[in-house]
Amino acid sequence: MRPYLLLICPVLLFLGASYLLPFLGIVQLSFTDPDPGFAQYGHVLSDPLSLGVIGRTLRLCLIVTVVSVTSAYVITLLWVRGSPLVRMITELCIMIPFWISILSRAFGWLSMLSNRGLLNTWLQDLGLIDSAIQMTRNEFAVVVGMSHYLIPFAVFPLATAMRNVDERVLTAADGMGASRLRIFWQVYLPMTASGIMGATLLVFVFSIGFYVTPALLGGGQSVLVAELIYLWIFQIPQWGMAAAMSVVLMIAVGGILYLLIRRYEDVTP
Amino acid sequence: MANTTQIEAHSVGKMFGDFHALRDVSLDIKEGEFLSLLGPSGSGKTTFLTMLGGYQNLTSGKLLLEGQDMTNWSAKQRGFGMVFQGYALFPHLSVAENIAFPLKVKKWSKAQMSARVDQMIEMVGLSGHAHKKPKALSGGQQQRVALARALAYEPKVLLLDEPFSALDKNLRGQMQEELRRLHRDLGTTFVFVTHDQEEALALSTHVAIFNQGALQQIGTPSEVYEHPANRFTAEFLGDINIMSLDAEKGGVAGTKIDLPTNASAFDHIALRPEHMRLAGETDVNKLPVTVRDMVYLGSKSRLVLETKAGEELMFYIDNGPGLPPPDLGAGLHVAWDTGDSFAL
Ligand SMILES: Nc1ncnc2c1ncn2[C@@H]1O[C@H](COP(=O)(O)OP(=O)(O)OP(=O)(O)O)[C@@H](O)[C@H]1O
Ligand SMILES: [Mg+2]
């Protein structure tokens, strides 16, 4: 008997009680409410509405992930490699959003992007557009809002990877005559691939469960999985369906994670 | 080996803020030379090497390459090969891809490139490792990849910054041998940074000794070892016995000694321990000493001897058969040839 197993027992018990048991409850619900068997899954996986929602969620989350990780890469570059002043400003821009709740941020974007919001008013005042451009209650707003929330989270794995880059390797590439473009694409980017992978995982998993931001900024136009589950629990009580959907989501995320992590091991230096 | 001067440094200086990392360094490097830059930590060796390579700007002075002013050329324009401290291999590329990188940059054709890569891998003895990533290689193997990569496009000059410092002693010896062989076979100029005296003396055709940012002396290994220009060089390059001259400059510790010709301008004479011997009948320079300590080292013993003036000398004797070791406190006479001693 290895003694350390005994020491981690309390943690395992706590995790089991707080995560595993409720999850098993959900699994049970998905197979029993209202009908015993696979009926709920059959419905979730065949009903055009729920299939559409799953598809839209995966698509939007993919877009959000790409937008967030790309923007975060640029921001992290500034943070890690910028001049001291640039670094300080970037650091503030990364930290401040952490102190603002997700709800306020969604409202912030509403007041920015809505038809009578800041952006439309400015554009009209400047005479660049005649009538307001629809920038809320659609997927565009959801992507903006979600990416804005997720970028700071993507920064940290990227920063770790960038700080681990041996400066001499870049100097060496430069001395061999490689252009800055080549150094970036063929040396720096591959050397930070582990950070990109980590940020991608983190952002994607986070984004799947988003509720507030898409609800507010999508204005019902772009219903995502979390909203649908909410609907099935609180509006038209169909707990079995909600449970089945949760399990499907869980498995989908698990599968994608598995694939990404397998790839991740290939790129970690 | 052509005997033309390839690189000239004229009064090169480097400041970091108001700190002089290098001051007034002038030296010539001939084509095909193996020059070691030797000095204690922080003496400015890396700084000088990276300035030669074009990786750092000079604060003052200038650098010439084959007579042309290259002071403001970039590393790329100079086109020297460089092996960095810590190797600086591309971690995401295989051995073959690492070596091919500079060739790709120089737009070699596919066929030329793969032939050259194979040749380099063969040359540094890494056949069979071509597809491994650096992290799957041992320290010595990574070192070879760095060498092969730096030499792949046949640079005129190869700069190496303490390439062996991370290797254990055996591997170090082996790599030193290989580096000598490479230098012989290629005829490329090597400039090699080390803080290991033995390594510098064993490998190079010339040694430049640095201390606190200043060039102390440059010469062949035997020149700098046997005729050090100053006390720092003398002490840095190995064991040295230094004795104060008597006031009238006629001898040491009250004994009349045949002194080197320029001794009257100095206060000390110095002598490597291996140039000292137990005095025989015919010896001229005979110095009486007392044995103060003895350390048994296997084939030899190291003695600490004290002169009549109270100065300590280091002396080695062979532990051969039939040679009883002297007792502590016993009196001896040591002797040396005048030509082996030098004034400091
Ligand atoms: N970028 C820099 N900024 C400030 N000081 C520096 C910088 N680079 C080097 N120095 C200083 O210049 C001096 C010489 O440094 P250098 O790296 O050339 O020493 P070195 O002889 O290579 O030593 P080592 O054997 O430890 O590598 C040191 O005192 C070092 O602190
Ligand atoms: Mg150094």
Side-chain angles (χ1 to χ4, degrees):
Chain A
M1 176 77 193
R2 274 163 263 170
Y4 64 81
L5 283 181
L6 221 79
L7 291 171
I8 59 173
C9 260
V11 179
L12 290 181
L13 280 175
F14 174 77
L15 288 179
S18 54
Y19 285 99
L20 198 58
L21 283 180
F23 181 69
L24 288 178
I26 286 178
V27 174
Q28 189 206 18
L29 209 56
S30 72
F31 284 111
T32 54
D33 180 62
D35 308 308
F38 287 89
Q40 284 72 241
Y41 285 95
H43 188 196
V44 164
L45 291 175
S46 64
D47 176 34
L49 169 78
S50 68
L51 277 183
V53 170
I54 292 178
R56 187 186 303 131
T57 307
L58 290 181
R59 182 169 51 81
L60 265 180
C61 289
L62 226 69
I63 297 175
V64 166
T65 307
V66 171
V67 170
S68 307
V69 175
T70 316
S71 329
Y73 199 91
V74 177
I75 293 169
T76 317
L77 264 182
L78 292 177
W79 188 30
V80 174
R81 303 188 64 87
S83 66
L85 183 72
V86 171
R87 271 185 222 191
M88 204 185 71
I89 294 171
T90 323
E91 190 162 316
L92 276 180
C93 293
I94 295 166
M95 294 305 171
I96 287 174
F98 279 112
W99 306 327
I100 306 171
S101 85
I102 189 164
L103 204 62
S104 336
R105 287 209 245 169
F107 277 118
W109 279 110
L110 265 184
S111 66
M112 192 75 188
L113 299 175
S114 70
N115 286 356
R116 289 153 164 268
L118 273 179
L119 206 57
N120 269 315
T121 325
W122 279 346
L123 288 175
Q124 279 171 327
D125 288 352
L126 287 171
L128 292 174
I129 52 171
D130 294 330
S131 56
I133 305 174
Q134 180 71 37
M135 284 186 286
T136 50
R137 305 169 68 79
N138 57 18
E139 291 186 358
F140 170 76
V142 176
V143 170
V144 170
M146 284 175 68
S147 302
H148 178 243
Y149 187 82
L150 289 166
I151 285 169
F153 291 96
V155 162
F156 292 99
L158 288 171
T160 308
M162 287 183 193
R163 294 208 167 99
N164 280 336
V165 170
D166 182 351
E167 206 60 33
R168 285 174 298 195
V169 176
L170 306 179
T171 314
D174 179 58
M176 290 174 213
S179 63
R180 295 184 67 128
L181 216 61
R182 184 193 285 269
I183 295 177
F184 180 76
W185 287 107
Q186 295 188 4
V187 180
Y188 199 71
L189 201 66
M191 280 177 79
T192 50
S194 64
I196 298 176
M197 213 53 111
T200 304
L201 280 179
L202 197 70
V203 170
F204 184 76
V205 171
F206 253 177
S207 69
I208 294 272
F210 261 52
Y211 172 71
V212 171
T213 312
L216 283 176
L217 289 166
Q221 298 295 305
S222 50
V223 176
L224 299 192
V225 167
E227 289 173 87
L228 187 64
I229 292 173
Y230 178 88
L231 202 75
W232 278 340
I233 291 175
F234 293 101
Q235 313 274 316
I236 31 171
Q238 296 189 335
W239 284 33
M241 294 275 289
M245 182 61 112
S246 305
V247 174
V248 168
L249 198 61
M250 186 82 186
I251 291 171
V253 171
I256 293 169
L257 278 188
Y258 174 73
L259 290 178
L260 279 177
I261 286 173
R262 271 213 348 212
R263 185 79 192 91
Y264 185 65
E265 280 164 359
D266 290 344
V267 300
T268 338
Chain B
M1 211 179 284
N3 219 23
T4 53
T5 299
Q6 189 172 29
I7 297 174
E8 292 163 58
H10 291 292
S11 300
V12 168
K14 178 72 183 176
M15 303 202 54
F16 293 109
D18 54 7
F19 172 74
H20 279 277
L22 274 183
R23 51 181 100 215
D24 203 23
V25 174
S26 299
L27 54 81
D28 289 357
I29 305 173
K30 294 213 164 60
E31 213 175 301
E33 202 168 287
F34 191 138
L35 173 69
S36 287
L37 309 181
L38 178 66
S41 191
S43 56
K45 308 178 297 286
T46 298
T47 305
F48 187 66
L49 193 77
T50 48
M51 289 194 327
L52 278 183
Y55 297 95
Q56 271 196 76
N57 295 324
L58 282 68
T59 311
S60 58
K62 63 179 178 175
L63 291 168
L64 305 187
L65 175 63
E66 285 154 8
Q68 283 184 294
D69 191 338
M70 65 161 180
T71 313
N72 296 316
W73 295 5
S74 68
K76 180 185 175 180
Q77 286 168 310
R78 298 182 195 196
F80 300 163
M82 171 111 190
V83 175
F84 289 83
Q85 214 165 356
Y87 317 144
L89 297 174
F90 302 119
H92 58 293
L93 298 180
S94 68
V95 169
E97 289 165 334
N98 260 284
I99 300 173
F101 190 92
L103 306 179
K104 251 191 225 160
V105 171
K106 296 193 164 38
K107 307 224 160 40
W108 285 34
S109 75
K110 273 237 154 55
Q112 266 184 313
M113 198 153 73
S114 83
R116 184 72 178 150
V117 169
D118 288 347
Q119 186 196 346
M120 295 311 294
I121 288 178
E122 175 84 41
M123 186 179 86
V124 297
L126 284 178
S127 312
H129 301 279
H131 298 288
K132 288 190 188 166
K133 296 268 172 73
K135 70 172 171 186
L137 300 175
S138 71
Q141 290 169 333
Q142 292 182 20
Q143 178 56 64
R144 287 159 211 247
V145 180
L147 266 173
R149 185 180 67 176
L151 287 168
Y153 52 91
E154 297 183 325
K156 287 175 281 191
V157 178
L158 180 67
L159 310 174
L160 305 109
D161 194 356
E162 307 214 20
F164 305 142
S165 57
L167 307 182
D168 67 50
K169 207 168 170 232
N170 285 336
L171 199 53
R172 223 179 144 110
Q174 198 184 328
M175 288 302 298
Q176 286 171 357
E177 265 320 299
E178 282 183 39
L179 197 67
R180 273 167 62 101
R181 177 179 61 81
L182 277 176
H183 179 252
R184 265 201 319 270
D185 294 352
L186 298 172
T188 309
T189 308
F190 281 22
V191 183
F192 178 93
V193 165
T194 179
H195 56 240
D196 180 332
Q197 303 86 308
E198 275 180 46
E199 187 168 275
L201 295 175
L203 284 177
S204 12
T205 60
H206 291 80
V207 183
I209 293 143
F210 284 78
N211 187 34
Q212 298 183 351
L215 178 64
Q216 304 293 313
Q217 188 175 5
I218 180 167
T220 65
S222 62
E223 276 165 11
V224 294
Y225 185 77
E226 284 164 24
H227 302 284
N230 56 36
R231 190 167 183 142
F232 174 81
T233 310
E235 287 179 337
F236 191 70
L237 284 178
D239 294 336
I240 187 88
N241 291 318
I242 297 179
M243 293 167 273
S244 309
L245 293 177
D246 293 335
E248 64 279 11
K249 307 238 163 116
V252 167
T255 311
K256 192 174 153 24
I257 296 284
D258 193 9
L259 296 172
T261 45
N262 59 345
S264 51
F266 296 86
D267 295 329
H268 301 86
I269 63 164
L271 188 65
R272 300 270 175 215
E274 65 270 24
H275 289 147
M276 264 177 9
R277 58 179 176 267
L278 289 172
E281 290 298 322
T282 56
D283 279 315
V284 187
N285 297 324
K286 280 195 215 181
L287 190 68
V289 290
T290 314
V291 179
R292 284 291 169 232
D293 194 13
M294 189 173 79
V295 182
Y296 179 72
L297 298 173
S299 70
K300 294 171 171 194
S301 289
R302 183 174 66 223
L303 307 187
V304 177
L305 308 175
E306 192 183 305
T307 65
K308 292 255 171 352
E311 286 176 318
E312 290 193 336
L313 305 178
M314 199 176 287
F315 182 58
Y316 291 90
I317 54 168
D318 289 334
N319 289 330
L323 289 176
D327 299 319
L328 293 192
L332 293 175
H333 282 80
V334 289
W336 60 87
D337 296 334
T338 309
D340 287 333
S341 61
F342 43 89
L344 279 179

